[in-house]
Amino acid sequence: MSEYLFKGLDSYDTPADHKVALGFKLMFKSRWYFYWRNFRTFMRSGRCASKGKLDGDMQIHYSNENIRLVEDCGAKLHLRGLNHLRDLDGRPVVIIGNHMSLLETAALHAIIREYVDFSFVVKESLLRTAYIKDILTSMKAIGVSRTNPREDLKTVLTEGKKVLQAGRSMIVFPQATRTRVFDREQFNSIGVKLAKSAGVPVVPMALKTDILENGRILRDLGPIHPERDVHFEFGPPMAIEGNGNAQQQYVEEFIASAFERWKKEEK
């Protein structure tokens, strides 16, 4: 069995004495050390998925490697609200969060897979990308175009409801693109609508993963900033009532308040 790194913990902070990897130092703390290790993990995970062996245990295993990579590059990881996931006792929910970088999808299995079996809503194009398509297919990820909101909503409500009714949770990033800021105007209600349709609660997820930044030429190979702390925070589940407006506001307020708190902590 793969080790769940945060077993029994409600929160976690990278130890202050965690040592930076020698390889990162020898490569002058270059981004390429990070992407070399990350891509190696990604390829192994993809090959595992293509063989039909990427089960929950292996998902945690490969995701653990990405967590260790973040800390080996000198970044500090902070987790909060793991107790809210543990208290679900495996019940399906819709986890709704902001979207900042590729790190969240690489790290989330290590953080929540022990308690929550889940799938993603992803860009349709990813389901045609080498290695990624095998990983996402093994998770039964739902692809959307992000160019036709009406059709995307129909797809998410139809396919997402099937996932939830099968006892698995859904992770939804309502923002159309990755961004370092939380903009409520760009944060749609598709996650709340899915939860209402399936009759399951929502769980807010606030995250800060801008240790990775979008590249100017190659979007997914941008600079890394290990001086920036990494945060994942989860709130209590909330059942959908009425039109779901109160739950949408709850999720948005949770994320916005986390951003404000992290901003103050950085000063």
Side-chain angles (χ1 to χ4, degrees), residues 36-49:
W36 166 65
R37 279 184 55 179
N38 177 250
F39 187 66
R40 186 177 61 176
T41 297
F42 167 68
M43 289 186 64
R44 290 168 57 217
S45 178
R47 286 197 294 266
C48 183

Side-chain angles (χ1 to χ4, degrees), residues 22-231:
L22 178 61
F24 188 50
K25 293 179 180 179
L26 292 175
M27 292 183 68
F28 304 102
K29 299 186 177 181
S30 164
R31 76 180 76 177
W32 303 116
Y33 175 83
F34 179 93
Y35 289 116
W36 166 65
R37 279 184 55 179
N38 177 250
F39 187 66
R40 186 177 61 176
T41 297
F42 167 68
M43 289 186 64
R44 290 168 57 217
S45 178
R47 286 197 294 266
C48 183
S50 68
K51 297 175 182 177
K53 298 181 179 180
L54 192 63
D55 57 12
D57 188 50
M58 294 307 297
Q59 289 167 350
I60 292 175
H61 172 77
Y62 290 119
S63 194
N64 281 348
E65 293 185 4
N66 289 315
I67 291 289
R68 294 188 179 102
L69 173 57
V70 167
E71 295 184 318
D72 285 350
C73 289
K76 303 299 183 185
L77 173 68
H78 308 281
L79 307 179
R80 298 290 183 270
L82 297 178
N83 53 303
H84 299 309
L85 303 177
R86 184 169 58 246
D87 291 346
L88 290 173
D89 292 324
R91 290 179 290 125
V93 295
V94 176
I95 300 174
I96 307 173
N98 59 299
H99 192 18
M100 190 172 285
S101 79
L102 291 175
L103 181 58
E104 43 252 37
T105 52
L108 272 170
H109 285 290
I111 296 170
I112 74 174
R113 187 62 177 81
E114 177 79 359
Y115 305 124
V116 181
D117 184 8
F118 63 90
S119 187
F120 287 107
V121 175
V122 301
K123 288 190 301 184
E124 202 171 49
S125 59
L126 293 176
L127 296 175
R128 300 188 295 271
T129 304
Y131 294 106
I132 296 179
K133 65 181 181 181
D134 294 320
I135 296 171
L136 295 178
T137 298
S138 73
M139 296 177 59
K140 295 181 172 60
I142 299 171
V144 294
S145 66
R146 292 188 177 173
T147 58
N148 189 329
R150 181 174 295 181
E151 284 301 313
D152 287 349
L153 175 60
K154 182 179 178 180
T155 299
V156 170
L157 293 183
T158 301
E159 300 302 321
K161 190 173 181 178
K162 293 178 183 177
V163 172
L164 292 160
Q165 289 176 337
R168 303 175 68 218
S169 293
M170 286 295 306
I171 295 180
V172 179
F173 300 111
Q175 292 166 290
T177 188
R178 304 191 297 260
T179 175
R180 288 189 65 197
V181 299
F182 176 59
D183 183 358
R184 295 188 188 215
E185 295 297 321
Q186 301 298 321
F187 199 82
N188 64 52
S189 60
I190 193 169
V192 168
K193 289 175 180 174
L194 172 59
K196 180 181 179 181
S197 176
V200 302
V202 294
V203 170
M205 173 177 65
L207 56 86
K208 181 178 179 293
T209 62
D210 57 347
I211 176 181
L212 300 185
E213 199 168 287
N214 292 335
R216 294 181 180 179
I217 300 176
L218 296 175
R219 179 176 172 81
D220 294 335
L221 295 176
I224 66 169
H225 296 274
E227 73 279 4
R228 298 173 181 171
D229 286 5
V230 176
H231 294 268

